[in-house]
Amino acid sequence: MIQRPTLRESFPRPAQPTVLFLGSLLAVESVLVGAHLLATDAAVLSVRYLLYPFVWINLGVLAVRAVDVPVPADRRSVGAAAVAAGYLLVLAWTSGLVGAGSGGALTLRVAPAMPGWGPVLLVGGPVSIALVPFETIGYVALAVLVYVGVGRAAAGVLSGLVGLVTCVSCVGPVIAAVISGLLGGASTAAAGGASSTILGVTTGAYAYDLSTGLFVLTIAALWATLR
């Protein structure tokens, strides 16, 4: 009699260090949010927009932590790093984190916002930069995974499928970044209103629902091919 695996056995269980690490992240994030609410007049206008940034941050950090990220040391790995850097730039540009500047003098300020959404680093002048924490961390995590995937794909023909899946799956966040930017990106919202009450309510309806969903799917697809 053949014993078939159960549905529960088909999914890998997270290792105890991973569970402890995630628990520590959640604890720190909860303390930061609680402290921010107590110290400011911020109000939680939308629970899902309060949680979305931590979905990006935690998944991105856990995914990078779960793969072996080699240091660029040869032509193949340097080429993979260049591809990943280009991909990160595309994400940053289409999402509004980086854009064309006014051409004026260099300015630098920090806009307070709810943890995850802020604090936002705003740079003006030759280049316009608005680094929203959760998008910045999420896109950097994606770029790191792309670097690993491209490096492995370049190692041989048999592993070329990894590179194909990586490229196809990574189109999602670019599309989501464009839609999010058109409907009202986080960087635009944070730059336009430097108050602590910004929780994405000023963005277009469902823009971050879509972008968060695609981000999760992309992280899952990359992790599945790289683990």
Side-chain angles (χ1 to χ4, degrees):
M1 180 178 179
I2 300 177
Q3 185 177 2
R4 299 183 182 278
T6 64
L7 182 62
R8 182 179 179 181
E9 295 172 340
S10 300
F11 292 94
R13 296 182 181 180
Q16 185 175 5
T18 300
V19 175
L20 293 176
F21 182 75
L22 177 59
S24 300
L25 277 179
L26 293 174
V28 171
E29 290 160 356
S30 299
V31 170
L32 289 176
V33 171
H36 184 83
L37 291 174
L38 290 174
T40 68
D41 59 351
V44 177
L45 305 179
S46 173
V47 174
R48 75 180 196 273
Y49 284 125
L50 173 66
L51 298 178
Y52 280 167
F54 301 118
V55 172
W56 285 59
I57 293 171
N58 295 346
L59 281 182
V61 171
L62 289 175
V64 171
R65 186 173 180 269
V67 300
D68 182 20
V69 183
V71 176
D74 53 24
R75 182 179 300 178
R76 184 182 69 214
S77 59
V78 170
V83 171
Y87 177 68
L88 177 61
L89 180 59
V90 169
L91 284 174
W93 188 274
T94 54
S95 65
L97 296 183
V98 177
S102 61
L106 181 66
T107 61
L108 176 66
R109 69 187 181 96
V110 176
M114 188 70 72
W117 290 93
V120 184
L121 176 63
L122 299 171
V123 179
V127 179
S128 175
I129 301 176
L131 297 184
V132 181
F134 82 91
E135 284 190 319
T136 303
I137 294 173
Y139 291 152
V140 169
L142 284 176
V144 171
L145 297 179
V146 167
Y147 161 67
V148 176
V150 172
R152 291 186 185 180
V157 176
L158 293 179
S159 59
L161 181 60
V162 173
L164 176 62
V165 174
T166 297
C167 294
V168 171
S169 63
C170 285
V171 171
V174 177
I175 297 174
V178 172
I179 294 174
S180 178
L182 291 176
L183 297 181
S187 56
T188 303
S195 84
S196 305
T197 59
I198 296 175
L199 281 177
V201 176
T202 53
T203 65
Y206 307 115
Y208 282 103
D209 301 274
L210 174 61
S211 60
T212 299
L214 287 174
F215 176 80
V216 171
L217 290 176
T218 301
I219 287 288
L222 289 170
W223 178 82
T225 57
L226 297 176
R227 64 187 177 92

